[in-house]
Amino acid sequence: GTFSGSVEGALDAAGITVGEHDTVAPALDTSISDGSQIVVQHGRLLTLTIDGQTREIWTTATTVDEALAQLGQDPSAYKLSADRSRDIPLDGLAVSADTLHNVSVSDGGAAAAAVASAGKNVGDLINEQGIALGPLDLVSPATDTALSEGLVVAITRVAKTTVTEDVDVAQPADQTVEDSSADAGTSTVTQQGTAGKDSVTYEVTTTNGAETAKTEVSRTTVTPA
């Protein structure tokens, strides 16, 4: 109850102080009558850091979600340091927001999986997803490539192993020696030829689990041909 005839007087009577960042409806100099309704929204200082850029904003929004919406930002487009529904206290709040990129990741030839990442580049994305890379694995595009909406990242798994196999060695070609003691036009087998066997070590390269190269690195005779 108040004997005042204005919004400002009613607020004084209620002990409500209006700061420069607060809003009052209707205005302070508006006349009031019995049953009038007055709405006061207190300003709150929101320290907002978006993708590393910080700015201070006074807002009458009471939650992080509402504040971002007032700024024309879609809260779902960011990874926030505070819950979207968190209240902004009268003494202010600091919030960091990193832009989310919708990208796809194909690992080892598997079908691409859609993920949302707040990383700055492909390397950040790989770390976020907990993907371990081997020393020979390939990443396309490169890990320092900036993330962008719809980017497709492919990880090619490359491995090299050594295997040892026994391989057949063909029987040598016949060798003929002239024998002056033999009748002309006759021949005699003095040593029957046979195939041999070698132990061969190969370096095998696999790409996404499929063999793509096989190189001989050493050979040892097991049975001479």
Side-chain angles (χ1 to χ4, degrees):
T2 179
F3 291 109
S4 175
S6 69
V7 169
E8 186 173 21
L11 293 178
D12 287 341
I16 297 174
T17 302
V18 177
E20 62 175 310
H21 301 292
D22 300 338
T23 62
V24 180
L28 291 175
D29 58 358
T30 302
S31 298
I32 58 174
S33 59
D34 190 39
S36 292
Q37 292 187 339
I38 302 170
V39 176
V40 179
Q41 292 180 311
H42 290 290
R44 295 160 166 82
L45 180 59
L46 178 65
T47 303
L48 182 62
T49 302
I50 297 180
D51 295 333
Q53 300 296 317
T54 301
R55 55 176 172 161
E56 293 185 338
I57 302 152
W58 284 95
T59 177
T60 55
T62 57
T63 66
V64 173
D65 204 17
E66 290 175 359
L68 288 172
Q70 281 186 1
L71 295 171
Q73 304 290 343
D74 179 4
S76 65
Y78 297 98
K79 179 182 179 181
L80 301 171
S81 62
D83 191 272
R84 289 170 52 178
S85 61
R86 178 173 176 176
D87 289 337
I88 303 175
L90 288 175
D91 57 357
L93 179 68
V95 177
S96 62
D98 294 313
T99 300
L100 289 172
H101 299 282
N102 294 305
V103 298
S104 299
V105 180
S106 173
D107 189 355
V115 296
S117 172
K120 300 295 185 293
N121 55 40
V122 172
D124 291 343
L125 167 66
I126 290 173
N127 290 333
E128 278 183 0
Q129 297 301 312
I131 299 173
L133 296 177
L136 301 177
D137 292 340
L138 305 175
V139 180
S140 177
T143 55
D144 60 356
T145 302
L147 291 188
S148 58
E149 195 71 11
L151 183 69
V152 178
V153 177
I155 299 170
T156 303
R157 300 294 186 174
V158 181
K160 288 187 177 183
T161 57
T162 57
V163 297
T164 301
E165 302 173 356
D166 285 343
V167 298
D168 293 329
V169 180
Q171 176 181 317
D174 291 345
Q175 296 180 4
T176 303
V177 177
E178 292 292 336
D179 184 355
S180 61
S181 64
D183 294 336
T186 63
S187 62
T188 303
V189 176
T190 57
Q191 179 181 344
Q192 180 63 53
T194 59
K197 195 173 292 292
D198 286 353
S199 176
V200 183
T201 299
Y202 297 97
E203 181 182 73
V204 178
T205 302
T206 57
T207 303
N208 291 339
E211 183 179 307
T212 52
K214 187 175 183 179
T215 306
E216 180 178 327
V217 294
S218 66
R219 179 182 292 259
T220 303
T221 300
V222 176
T223 305

